[in-house]
Amino acid sequence: MVLSDRKKCCRSYWINDCGTFKCGEISEKNCQDHSAWKFWHKRRYIVATLAFFGFFNIYCLRVNLSIAIVAMTQDRFETLENGTKVSLGPEFDWNNELQGYILSSFFYGYITTQLLGGYLAAKFGGKVIFGSGVAVTAALTLVTPWLASAHVYLLLAVRIVEGIFEGVTYPCIHAVWARWAPPLERSKLATIAFSGSYAGTVFAMPTCAYLANTFGWPSIFYFSGALGLIWYALWTVLVASSPEEDKRISKEELDYIVNSLKETTFSKNLDIPWKKILTSSAVWAIVISHFSENWGFYTLLTQLPKYLKDIHGYDLGKSGFLSGFPYLVMAIMMQFAGQWADWLRSKGILTTTQVRKIFNCSGFLAQTIFMMGAAFWSDKIGTVFCLTLAVGLGAFAWAGFSVNHLDVAPQYASVIMGIGNTIATLPGIISPILSGYIVSKPPRIMEWQTVFYISAGIYMFGAIVYGFFASGELQNWATTKDNMTKVDEEKEKHAMENKTFISDDEGL
């Protein structure tokens, strides 16, 4: 292989994050087999695709109540034989405060299992726990209409239990990526999966609105529950816990993934350095950014349909479509953000730390600006435009903090995600309740502006903290002594051969 071909091949084979590449074990054929456009030949992209649909279902199951509750509490009318319309009142006469508690009840359970899910995933892998979390939530969703009709407290209870089981899902996916994602593909693989959350939101809002108008609000829960169980069957059959356990993976891809992750140790007896994790400024930068992003996200996720209906007079169908549109923009932009972040790193244009900070902080600053724009711009088209960009530009932040766990401590990434998502769940509990108290009945535009001001301020706070304290480097406490010795011996062996490694200047 000529030097130019060798350099080209080396760019797809990453051994560590310090600019060192190992090329000798990959043939020109293998390099071609890993062409980016042949994603269906790569098992790690099959995992990413199914993880995408997993998060798609997670958010269909989560957001369905935001649409259903509008249909459940709106006035009903009956047309008499003489053509007179008679008001029957709402099927469920819940005030704004009670609706806030109902919408936030999911997160009371969701917050309790983040750490447990991360811990179990670090010990045993994420596949089974991730799939089970979605499956149980889907099954409970199927019985939600009956429970809601029986008593509001039963609705609150089932949403709390759904949150308990869905709470393990986000931490578990980082345990999957710790085994499946080569370091230079972390951003793109993770953002492919996470974008399913927003695609699911886009799909769920107009679809649930259509189902409610056409078949009645119970059909929302029957449809989303059945969809989740179908996904679980596919996930169980098609995805393995690790590349080594995948019977369909090629030898070339297996060698590529395993060798690229030589610095990472996986063990059921893994000793988790809790104190060092909890006192790490890099970890807290991730956690605070996650909290900041989720505050704006959950505020709009639970309140946007209501805002569009109350302030701008959109009916349920139109508000469902417009509420989902910002998440369509985010799902699309997230793909570009992930690809761009990995491209900047693989080309050596920016370091991992620089990529994470630039993407995260620019996303938050843009969200701050457009959230403030939504507060000041009273025109209905202008408001939707600003809110769309306030959500959509958050895709850049997800290419920052959401992947950062794998940079600083890949073998503990699910645990760190569990810590972060525990704290980042608080907005899902607090924001709907706070919004319910701020927005009176009948609602006024000034009250909704206050809701947007709060979100903008929290975005800005997240940008400042992440800009000062984030890191893209593997932390000293995240690598075991035995594993470091093994990596050092490997480097020394290839350095003596004087042909295997290509320096950063030569290779890039």
Side-chain angles (χ1 to χ4, degrees), residues 148-181:
S149 298
H151 201 284
V152 66
Y153 289 151
L154 291 177
L155 174 60
L156 287 166
V158 74
R159 290 293 290 184
I160 291 171
V161 176
E162 286 178 15
I164 289 172
F165 282 95
E166 200 171 294
V168 302
T169 53
Y170 261 88
C172 284
I173 200 62
H174 270 340
V176 173
W177 295 136
R179 289 166 168 79
W180 275 99

Side-chain angles (χ1 to χ4, degrees), residues 113-405:
T113 50
Q114 299 294 323
L115 266 177
L116 177 63
Y119 177 79
L120 293 175
K123 293 281 187 180
F124 306 110
K127 178 206 166 179
V128 174
I129 303 171
F130 182 77
S132 299
V134 179
V136 175
T137 306
L140 291 172
T141 299
L142 291 173
V143 301
T144 297
W146 178 79
L147 295 173
S149 298
H151 201 284
V152 66
Y153 289 151
L154 291 177
L155 174 60
L156 287 166
V158 74
R159 290 293 290 184
I160 291 171
V161 176
E162 286 178 15
I164 289 172
F165 282 95
E166 200 171 294
V168 302
T169 53
Y170 261 88
C172 284
I173 200 62
H174 270 340
V176 173
W177 295 136
R179 289 166 168 79
W180 275 99
L184 274 189
E185 297 182 34
R186 285 171 179 163
S187 300
K188 65 181 75 171
L189 288 170
T191 51
I192 287 172
F194 287 140
S195 66
S197 302
Y198 304 101
T201 303
V202 172
F203 175 81
M205 284 189 166
T207 301
C208 289
Y210 171 79
L211 290 171
N213 285 330
T214 307
F215 304 105
W217 63 265
S219 63
I220 293 174
F221 300 99
Y222 299 142
F223 177 78
S224 54
L227 200 64
L229 292 177
I230 292 170
W231 169 86
Y232 174 68
L234 294 173
W235 175 261
T236 302
V237 171
L238 297 178
V239 172
S241 296
S242 67
E244 294 89 342
E245 298 175 45
D246 193 326
K247 297 179 181 179
R248 301 178 182 90
I249 195 170
S250 67
K251 183 179 183 303
E252 292 79 16
E253 184 178 10
L254 176 61
D255 291 343
Y256 168 61
I257 295 173
V258 170
N259 282 300
S260 71
L261 297 173
K262 280 184 177 179
E263 290 190 11
T264 306
T265 298
F266 301 105
S267 172
K268 292 184 179 181
N269 298 316
L270 194 64
D271 185 21
I272 299 173
W274 293 105
K275 182 178 179 181
K276 292 181 178 179
I277 289 174
L278 293 173
T279 56
S280 169
S281 59
V283 169
W284 280 104
I286 297 170
V287 170
I288 291 172
S289 289
H290 200 167
F291 175 91
S292 302
E293 174 61 24
N294 274 17
W295 184 279
F297 175 76
Y298 285 135
T299 297
L300 295 182
L301 184 68
T302 58
Q303 302 300 316
L304 191 53
K306 187 174 179 60
Y307 166 75
L308 292 173
K309 180 177 179 293
D310 290 347
I311 298 301
H312 295 298
Y314 289 113
D315 60 28
L316 181 60
K318 187 171 289 186
S319 68
F321 172 78
L322 291 176
S323 298
F325 184 70
Y327 302 101
L328 173 62
V329 174
M330 189 170 195
I332 294 171
M333 293 186 70
M334 195 174 280
Q335 307 306 318
F336 291 100
Q339 294 283 344
W340 191 17
D342 280 348
W343 181 81
L344 289 170
R345 294 168 64 224
S346 65
K347 294 294 184 181
I349 298 172
L350 296 173
T351 66
T352 300
T353 299
Q354 290 169 336
V355 166
R356 301 296 180 229
K357 286 187 176 185
I358 290 172
F359 275 64
N360 196 87
C361 294
S362 62
F364 278 177
L365 290 173
Q367 288 179 296
T368 300
I369 292 168
F370 284 104
M371 193 66 81
M372 292 293 290
F376 283 107
W377 200 347
S378 59
D379 178 74
K380 63 169 63 177
I381 296 176
T383 300
V384 171
F385 171 78
C386 287
L387 291 176
T388 297
L389 289 182
V391 173
L393 293 173
F396 290 93
W398 276 88
F401 79 85
S402 75
V403 193
N404 204 185
H405 317 69

Side-chain angles (χ1 to χ4, degrees), residues 373-447:
F376 283 107
W377 200 347
S378 59
D379 178 74
K380 63 169 63 177
I381 296 176
T383 300
V384 171
F385 171 78
C386 287
L387 291 176
T388 297
L389 289 182
V391 173
L393 293 173
F396 290 93
W398 276 88
F401 79 85
S402 75
V403 193
N404 204 185
H405 317 69
L406 294 163
D407 301 322
V408 300
Q411 63 268 54
Y412 308 124
S414 62
V415 174
I416 298 172
M417 175 60 100
I419 295 169
N421 218 24
T422 298
I423 296 174
T425 300
L426 292 174
I429 298 172
I430 300 170
S431 177
I433 296 173
L434 182 62
S435 299
Y437 279 104
I438 292 174
V439 179
S440 62
K441 195 170 184 177
R444 295 178 298 177
I445 186 63
M446 290 177 61
E447 296 166 342

